[in-house]
Amino acid sequence: MRYLIAGWALATAALGADVTFNKDVLPILQKNCQACHRPGEIGPMPLLTYDNARPYAKSIKAAVLTGKMPPWFADPRYGHFSNDRRLSAADIAKLTAWVDAGAPEGDPKDKPAPLAWTEGWSIKPDVVFEMPKPYTVPKNGTIEYTYFVVPSGFTQDTWVTDAEIRPGNRAVVHHVSVYVRPPGSPWMKDAKPGEAYVPPKRGPSGVSAPSARAAEQGVAANEWFVGYVPGITPQRYFAPEMGSAKLIPAGSDLVFEMHYTANGKAAGDDQSKVGFILAKEAPKYRLLTLGVADASFAIPPGDPNYEGHASATFDQPVTVIYLQPHMHMRGKDMEMRFEYPTGESETMLKVPNYSYLWQTIYYEKEPLRVPKNTKVQVTAHWDNSANNPLNPDPTATVRWGDQSWDEMLVPFVGVLVESNADPAKVLRRPGGPAVNAAP
Ligand code: HEC
């Protein structure tokens, strides 16, 4: 450790001599920070210019040294992800040296041209579905996940090769998931199409959540379809270059799951939309998002480190495209391990500081082919103590439920399967029917 620090000090001292904002810092901010730190985006202050950045020099140094910024939650020892946001050691050294040198501006001639940000769609959608009317997000307070059911009107099975969510008002939209709810699914059955819907709280903790019930009964193949998280534009959700697409079964509804945050400044209207590029022909592979869920837990009051497990086994060979941990406000960490039929095993993803506020999808750098009988093993912990600042009630025994004060243990795995594969037969779950349960 001591050597490391000495080496670090040397490196930054060597750099310190002539590091300037225009030459060294601005290119780093453009590439790694401005997606969020520009007007209208989720970052609390813009970092577009010297005047923007100068007052924050010290907190920039602290944020990059602690790894708080850019936000990224995976343990670097496991997995390789194409959307890894971490700064290189060289960039961290440059930012630090700049701050230590008194944050000099430098020669205007060294300044790179400002980036041009795409304000419209980054895909060219064939069809667009919008929340039917604006929803007003209050100025203050905590806003529960709010749902909008929008009928697709698709009378035949429809294959989608790419999708993009356009948040209506980025100042209040924290993240969005659009799910596909096929006909017959009981999920959100009380929601009126087009109207804002917040599922009712069921008892002390919602064990009877429709999603858990659906999982037990083996019905509903609701599927997480596409998501928006701040700072990721544009993002490929699918892998069309591999001949894959996602399926919206005929007669399905789209369910917008909106996570709004009050920004404390003003109420804001949001009317978000989702656009799809439709496949010209049936694809070779179907991209399927499968939940590896366990709903049997009961987290004791006050427990700072309660452990949960879930597992499921692939009943056919699949190609893994992404991993997506999901828990709620008490979620603390999650690890996903693959156990192969050979007996070997591999940690695919470890998220030591899971944050409910940053729903992150981890895209495999290289799609990974795994054989039939590969088992997905999930270990997670919750912090139900009063020390967890997000914990809404440390005195509660917490069980599975849709609301953020309930909990979940359900990482999603995005896999490619043959396009005619039965989605109910891809994953085998212990003690339960093999349903494609989500969320
Ligand atoms: C994905 C979006 C995103 C990216 C990329 C991002 N930020 Fe942030 N940043 C945020 C948000 C949101 C906050 C406020 C909430 C928080 O602190 O988590 C924030 C807060 C900050 C703060 C205040 C930190 C604090 O300790 O309160 C600093 C400084 C900062 N960012 C610098 C940076 C720098 C420098 C980069 C690039 C190297 C960067 N951010 C990249 C979203 C982002």
Side-chain angles (χ1 to χ4, degrees):
M1 191 66 196
R2 207 176 311 142
Y3 297 107
L4 251 178
I5 290 169
W8 178 268
L10 271 178
T12 54
L15 272 167
D18 66 339
V19 173
T20 71
F21 181 83
N22 289 334
K23 179 163 60 68
D24 305 286
V25 172
L26 187 53
I28 300 174
L29 301 184
Q30 286 184 334
K31 184 160 169 259
N32 303 282
C33 319
Q34 292 180 357
C36 297
H37 289 276
R38 64 189 157 100
E41 282 292 345
I42 191 98
M45 70 289 188
L47 292 174
L48 298 177
T49 63
Y50 181 70
D51 288 346
N52 289 159
R54 176 70 189 87
Y56 293 98
K58 285 217 166 69
S59 57
I60 289 174
K61 175 179 165 181
V64 299
L65 277 179
T66 55
K68 190 177 172 208
M69 288 288 145
W72 182 253
F73 304 94
D75 183 331
R77 288 176 299 169
Y78 307 103
H80 298 281
F81 304 103
S82 62
N83 57 329
D84 191 337
R85 281 209 203 91
R86 282 172 305 139
L87 290 180
S88 67
D91 284 351
I92 296 175
K94 271 189 199 166
L95 290 174
T96 309
W98 172 68
V99 177
D100 291 345
E105 182 168 10
D107 190 334
K109 284 204 304 285
D110 293 338
K111 221 186 336 191
L115 291 190
W117 294 98
T118 317
E119 293 304 337
W121 291 97
S122 58
I123 63 170
K124 279 207 185 72
D126 296 316
V127 282
V128 173
F129 293 92
E130 189 172 34
M131 286 162 41
K133 56 188 179 202
Y135 177 74
T136 303
V137 179
K139 179 177 161 196
N140 294 307
T142 309
I143 302 139
E144 277 307 319
Y145 275 25
T146 308
Y147 295 84
F148 298 85
V149 174
V150 178
S152 73
F154 289 145
T155 53
Q156 354 182 325
D157 286 357
T158 302
W159 290 97
V160 172
T161 56
D162 217 342
E164 181 181 356
I165 292 172
R166 302 284 313 156
N169 181 348
R170 286 166 201 230
V172 294
V173 173
H174 195 282
H175 75 260
V176 185
S177 285
V178 169
Y179 294 88
V180 165
R181 181 178 75 169
S185 163
W187 187 46
M188 302 270 151
K189 67 177 186 329
D190 301 332
K192 283 205 203 71
E195 301 288 332
Y197 179 73
V198 176
K201 191 167 154 75
R202 287 158 303 271
S205 194
V207 231
S208 65
S211 45
R213 203 167 50 226
E216 280 156 20
Q217 294 171 355
V219 280
N222 308 307
E223 191 184 357
W224 181 92
F225 207 79
V226 57
Y228 160 82
V229 287
I232 301 198
T233 39
Q235 178 172 12
R236 295 314 284 268
Y237 290 98
F238 307 156
E241 67 281 5
M242 301 186 66
S244 70
K246 275 197 144 182
L247 179 64
I248 304 182
S252 293
D253 297 317
L254 305 176
V255 178
F256 285 64
E257 177 185 82
M258 306 299 302
H259 182 196
Y260 291 119
T261 42
N263 64 20
K265 290 180 205 136
D269 282 353
D270 171 63
Q271 193 169 8
S272 293
K273 40 187 152 177
V274 62
F276 299 127
I277 296 182
L278 305 183
K280 310 280 173 289
E281 56 203 41
K284 190 158 171 7
Y285 300 108
R286 176 172 179 182
L287 174 59
L288 206 52
T289 306
L290 299 165
V292 180
D294 176 75
S296 69
F297 57 83
I299 310 167
D303 195 321
N305 198 35
Y306 189 72
E307 186 164 300
H309 294 274
S311 69
T313 304
F314 290 113
D315 232 350
Q316 57 188 71
V318 299
T319 302
V320 179
I321 302 290
Y322 57 79
L323 305 171
Q324 183 181 2
H326 185 64
M327 293 189 276
H328 288 177
M329 284 149 101
R330 295 168 179 89
K332 185 176 174 187
D333 58 57
M334 187 178 276
E335 179 178 329
M336 298 179 73
R337 210 155 41 80
F338 281 7
E339 286 175 9
Y340 299 111
T342 55
E344 286 160 294
S345 79
E346 182 180 9
T347 298
M348 302 298 295
L349 171 67
K350 189 165 180 172
V351 177
N353 297 300
Y354 175 83
S355 172
Y356 171 68
L357 299 177
W358 288 100
Q359 300 290 324
T360 307
I361 302 171
Y362 297 88
Y363 290 85
E364 296 294 337
K365 202 160 210 166
E366 299 291 339
L368 178 72
R369 188 81 182 150
V370 302
K372 177 177 170 165
N373 288 330
T374 298
K375 187 170 185 183
V376 185
Q377 283 279 17
V378 184
T379 306
H381 293 89
W382 291 276
D383 180 354
N384 195 16
S385 75
N387 288 333
N388 172 359
L390 292 180
N391 192 350
D393 183 4
T395 66
T397 299
V398 187
R399 299 188 171 85
W400 175 282
D402 288 341
Q403 289 293 55
S404 57
W405 55 74
D406 304 320
E407 269 305 330
M408 282 197 182
L409 196 183
V410 53
F412 298 108
V413 187
V415 296
L416 301 188
V417 294
E418 297 294 323
S419 58
N420 60 1
D422 177 349
K425 297 210 171 112
V426 178
L427 262 188
R428 201 165 66 229
R429 295 176 172 83
V435 293
N436 164 26

